[in-house]
Amino acid sequence: MDLIELHARSLKLAGEVVDTVRPEQLDLATPCADWTLRQLLEHELGQRHGFAAAARGAGPDLALFAPAPLGTDPVGALGRAGAELTDAFREAAGAGRALWLPEIRDGGPFPLDRAVGFHLLDTLVHGWDVATALGDPAGIGAAVERDEALIATLVAVAEAVPDTPEARAPGRAFRPGVRSDAVAGRFARVLALLGRDPAWT
């Protein structure tokens, strides 16, 4: 399966959640410590811009990944950024280009397939964060579980994320993994592996 196509499917599933966000919900708490729903979506928008710039050949410039204001059309802004990112990934594939990702370990450059996997993971986990903030976390997990290629890729990427004190320190993308022996479903186990509580409310 084309990884860029799988990534596009992850954007679609996350987008279906974001499409339900109402302006008055932007101040809701999320499973991301200290981030409101607005801050989470601004992070996601900035990440899409940053990954697209990296895919088009930008160097290791951390500012390219900064959170971006949502403006008056958050859904539209995220949708457009997702489409631009897909185009940029395809351009990078055609050029055989590796990506500089200054937020990850030594910054790279990372092979395209690893970079796409990183963002696929980010997209789906934050899609769950949004759904959970809205009080309906089960839908996106079930949708991912039904897509065998997508859930298998998500699990593989999540299992490759280092679970060391340095990698999971405060301020890093993920917390230390939590016990997952009683967690049902591969998507929920991914959340636990990355330090999310699948039962968060």
Side-chain angles (χ1 to χ4, degrees), residues 17 25 102 159 167:
V17 177
Q25 295 174 312
E159 288 178 341

Side-chain angles (χ1 to χ4, degrees), residues 3 105 113-122 125 150-162 168 174 190 193-194:
L3 188 56
R105 296 198 285 275
D113 60 341
R114 293 189 69 192
V116 174
F118 292 153
H119 196 268
L120 181 151
L121 173 69
D122 195 64
V125 172
L150 190 56
I151 186 63
T153 299
L154 177 64
V155 169
V157 176
E159 288 178 341
V161 175
R168 303 296 182 96
F174 303 112
V190 164
L193 186 66
L194 300 175

Side-chain angles (χ1 to χ4, degrees), residues 116-158:
V116 174
F118 292 153
H119 196 268
L120 181 151
L121 173 69
D122 195 64
T123 297
L124 292 175
V125 172
H126 282 322
W128 177 85
D129 290 332
V130 174
T132 301
L134 298 176
D136 185 22
I140 188 170
V144 176
E145 292 267 6
R146 287 192 295 270
D147 189 326
E148 180 57 36
L150 190 56
I151 186 63
T153 299
L154 177 64
V155 169
V157 176

Side-chain angles (χ1 to χ4, degrees), residues 4-53:
I4 296 175
E5 172 58 27
L6 283 177
H7 176 266
R9 282 166 26 193
S10 77
L11 290 173
K12 181 178 184 296
L13 289 176
E16 290 171 356
V17 177
V18 173
D19 286 350
T20 69
V21 175
R22 301 189 305 273
E24 64 270 22
Q25 295 174 312
L26 290 172
D27 291 326
L28 290 174
T30 74
C32 298
D34 302 322
W35 278 1
T36 63
L37 185 53
R38 178 187 298 277
Q39 291 169 316
L40 173 57
L41 295 176
E42 289 176 340
H43 163 77
E44 278 293 277
L45 185 56
Q47 289 295 299
R48 293 181 187 191
H49 290 324
F51 270 80

Side-chain angles (χ1 to χ4, degrees), residues 11 22 39 91 99-100 112 122 129 142-143 149 188 191 196 200:
L11 290 173
R22 301 189 305 273
Q39 291 169 316
E91 177 185 316
L99 277 64
W100 286 99
L112 177 63
D122 195 64
D129 290 332
L191 297 173
R196 296 289 200 279
W200 188 94

Side-chain angles (χ1 to χ4, degrees), residues 159 177-196 198:
E159 288 178 341
V178 298
R179 287 187 59 186
S180 61
D181 50 338
V183 173
R186 285 182 286 177
F187 190 86
R189 287 198 293 273
V190 164
L191 297 173
L193 186 66
L194 300 175
R196 296 289 200 279

